[in-house]
Amino acid sequence: MKLNERSVAHYALSDSPADHTGFLRTWGGAGTPPTPSGAGRRCWFVLKGNLLFSFESRESRAPLSLVVLEGCTVELAEAPVSEEFAFAIRFDAPGVRPHLLAADGPAAQEAWVKALSRASFGYMRLVVLELESQLRDARHSLALRRHSSWKAGPGHQKPQAPERPSPGPENGHPISKDCQPEDLVEERGSRPAGRGLAEWQGPAGLFLGRRQSPSLPETSYFSMLHNWYGQEILELRQRWLQRAWASRPERKNRDGH
Amino acid sequence: MRYNEKELQALSRQPAELAAELGMRGPKKGSVLKRRLVKLVVNFLFYFRTDEAEPVGALLLERCRISQEEPSGFSICFMEDPERKYHFECCSEEQCQEWMGALRRASYEFMRRSLIFYRNEIQKMTGKDPLEQFGISEEARFQLGGLKA
């Protein structure tokens, strides 16, 4: 099966964030017996997203190997011979050989198992969906409070984040009744960016609609929020933020990559 | 670079974000347009001969650029060599836009940037770090800078 290896290697070496790095001993490379023997080979490992790369050394300019961390579980392993701090990456699919690795100490072992267990694309997507949902709630809350404070008269209250009962996909709740599903505009690649999007060249919301697994909530589209609330709300929010933060220390607004 | 084909093959059988039969042309000069079943699974784009169960190949979709190619096609190129383009032909402008949107959002790095953006926004609006309640606010993957390899 072909793979765009040159691009993959480029990604491995690029300055995109590494989620975990360190030396690990590894077994089962090409030309080695399927069962672990000997002390293993000590390599420099780099975890980026759902990809685990190994290098001969920290200075190597080409990765030795790639493990795709999807459909797998990571668990502490029965150490071969007298190897301590070993763990294994086991794949759900039949016939796919597990990877055996060993760290230098218990802290490193625990850190690696934790980092690798959360490396899947699906985990990251769950957290993003959760935050998307929280942001939507926070903005809705703000809009409601703004609206009620106009009705009540002068003197606004500081909005607070709504209580979140529990995390997880089962907490997905339907979008406010004011916005029916038919109103949601599907994110398309060529949609003109809203004013809010112009401030940030990055994400425009995730399209994970129809084909998403039934256990995950229907996501809102970030760009929809801008349409929904409209220019007026954005301006009001600006003014509120200025007032609310006027007395606080300057917050460094860091742009992402 | 060593990798286990079986890992990728297993991944190619997972539920896809998008799948369709498209025309596909490789980056090499003189490549011919071929019908391929193209399947987007997490941050990989797999392509199959229409009657085969195992993919012909896979493209990792990190650090890539998706561009429209008139009239109803798009291309994928990678940062280290933008002249090398993989071309895809769709059956309609609508299908083309759907694919382009999905592919642009398919990278792990895109999700990471989204997350950091949302985290920042929520923190600005509520004064609270939304990840704290889940006990994951210190994870490297959710930080602005991450670890430098």
Side-chain angles (χ1 to χ4, degrees):
Chain A
M1 181 169 68
K2 289 188 239 176
L3 178 66
N4 55 333
E5 285 189 46
R6 212 177 339 171
S7 306
V8 175
H10 188 257
Y11 173 63
L13 293 164
S14 72
D15 59 3
S16 60
D19 298 316
H20 205 67
T21 59
F23 284 103
L24 292 171
R25 274 159 297 132
T26 174
W27 289 263
T32 62
T35 51
S37 60
R41 185 181 180 181
R42 190 176 163 82
C43 296
W44 175 251
F45 279 81
V46 175
L47 173 64
K48 279 194 181 187
N50 56 352
L51 304 174
L52 180 65
F53 297 99
S54 73
F55 296 84
E56 179 105 43
S57 70
R58 286 182 80 150
E59 297 76 33
S60 297
R61 301 311 297 161
L64 280 176
S65 74
L66 161 69
V67 179
V68 180
L69 297 162
E70 294 289 337
C72 61
T73 48
V74 186
E75 48 197 45
L76 303 177
E78 299 281 296
V81 200
S82 57
E83 286 310 323
E84 290 179 289
F85 319 122
F87 55 94
I89 302 171
R90 285 185 200 286
F91 291 88
D92 305 330
V96 186
R97 218 198 314 163
H99 291 274
L100 190 68
L101 300 162
D104 290 337
Q109 178 192 37
E110 194 190 319
W112 270 107
V113 170
K114 214 166 159 184
L116 293 171
S117 301
R118 296 173 183 175
S120 71
F121 198 83
Y123 173 75
M124 176 60 93
R125 183 147 60 188
L126 267 177
V127 183
V128 173
L129 281 177
E130 174 61 27
L131 291 199
E132 230 180 28
S133 171
Q134 282 193 34
L135 182 58
R136 183 183 61 210
D137 287 349
R139 291 201 159 166
H140 191 215
S141 240
L142 176 62
L144 285 177
R145 281 181 171 82
R146 222 48 191 115
H147 186 64
S148 60
S149 77
W150 296 328
K151 282 182 172 173
H156 76 278
Q157 299 132 5
K158 191 162 87 176
Q160 278 150 30
E163 271 310 308
R164 300 280 304 170
S166 68
E170 69 278 0
N171 193 38
H173 53 275
I175 296 159
S176 153
K177 63 173 162 21
D178 296 325
C179 179
Q180 298 307 313
E182 309 85 81
D183 294 341
L184 291 180
V185 179
E186 274 187 26
E187 168 71 25
R188 295 239 181 260
S190 61
R191 277 192 91 254
R195 183 167 150 234
L197 289 175
E199 300 165 11
W200 175 261
Q201 286 303 307
L206 294 181
F207 172 71
L208 289 165
R210 278 168 260 134
R211 292 169 201 82
Q212 192 54 39
S213 115
S215 63
L216 289 171
E218 185 74 17
T219 191
S220 65
Y221 306 110
F222 190 70
S223 54
M224 174 275 287
L225 294 174
H226 294 275
N227 288 337
W228 185 13
Y229 292 117
Q231 205 80 325
E232 191 187 338
I233 300 293
L234 284 173
E235 280 164 337
L236 287 166
R237 176 178 164 249
Q238 285 279 68
R239 272 184 256 150
W240 173 76
L241 276 173
Q242 277 156 25
R243 262 183 271 148
W245 294 109
S247 55
R248 288 168 196 253
E250 193 77 64
R251 284 194 174 236
K252 203 153 66 144
N253 214 352
R254 295 184 65 187
D255 242 1
H257 355 232
Chain B
M1 181 181 69
R2 228 172 39 236
Y3 61 94
N4 187 347
E5 263 195 31
K6 291 209 174 100
E7 284 169 22
L8 281 172
Q9 278 165 357
L11 184 59
S12 77
R13 287 181 228 120
Q14 292 311 303
E17 184 73 22
L18 270 187
E21 200 183 294
L22 302 176
M24 181 177 175
R25 188 159 49 90
K28 289 204 183 103
K29 246 187 183 170
S31 286
V32 177
L33 194 76
K34 295 177 183 155
R35 299 301 296 172
R36 289 285 181 257
L37 173 61
V38 182
K39 198 173 169 186
L40 174 62
V41 183
V42 296
N43 49 350
F44 281 88
L45 189 67
F46 294 99
Y47 48 100
F48 302 71
R49 285 192 191 92
T50 51
D51 56 351
E52 286 178 10
E54 300 298 355
V56 174
L59 298 176
L60 171 71
L61 298 167
E62 300 291 338
R63 304 210 135 201
C64 64
R65 193 194 311 151
I66 317 293
S67 315
Q68 178 133 28
E69 305 287 339
E70 298 300 331
S72 57
F74 62 89
S75 65
I76 303 176
C77 69
F78 296 90
M79 259 185 79
E80 81 282 355
D81 194 353
E83 297 307 305
R84 265 186 116 239
K85 292 182 173 186
Y86 294 81
H87 288 263
F88 296 85
E89 288 293 328
C90 301
C91 63
S92 68
E93 168 78 18
E94 194 182 66
Q95 187 187 44
C96 184
Q97 291 302 325
E98 189 184 25
W99 274 92
M100 287 176 63
L103 290 169
R104 285 191 177 121
R105 287 177 290 247
S107 72
Y108 196 99
E109 293 309 315
F110 174 84
M111 279 205 299
R112 195 203 301 277
R113 286 196 299 272
S114 304
L115 184 144
I116 289 167
F117 176 72
Y118 295 147
R119 186 184 184 182
N120 260 337
E121 284 294 292
I122 293 167
Q123 183 126 35
K124 280 195 293 190
M125 294 188 76
T126 67
K128 283 191 229 160
D129 175 3
L131 296 183
E132 240 172 66
Q133 65 180 120
F134 305 128
I136 55 178
S137 48
E138 298 309 305
E139 275 185 34
R141 60 177 57 85
F142 303 136
Q143 309 310 320
L144 206 53
L147 291 175
K148 292 302 174 193

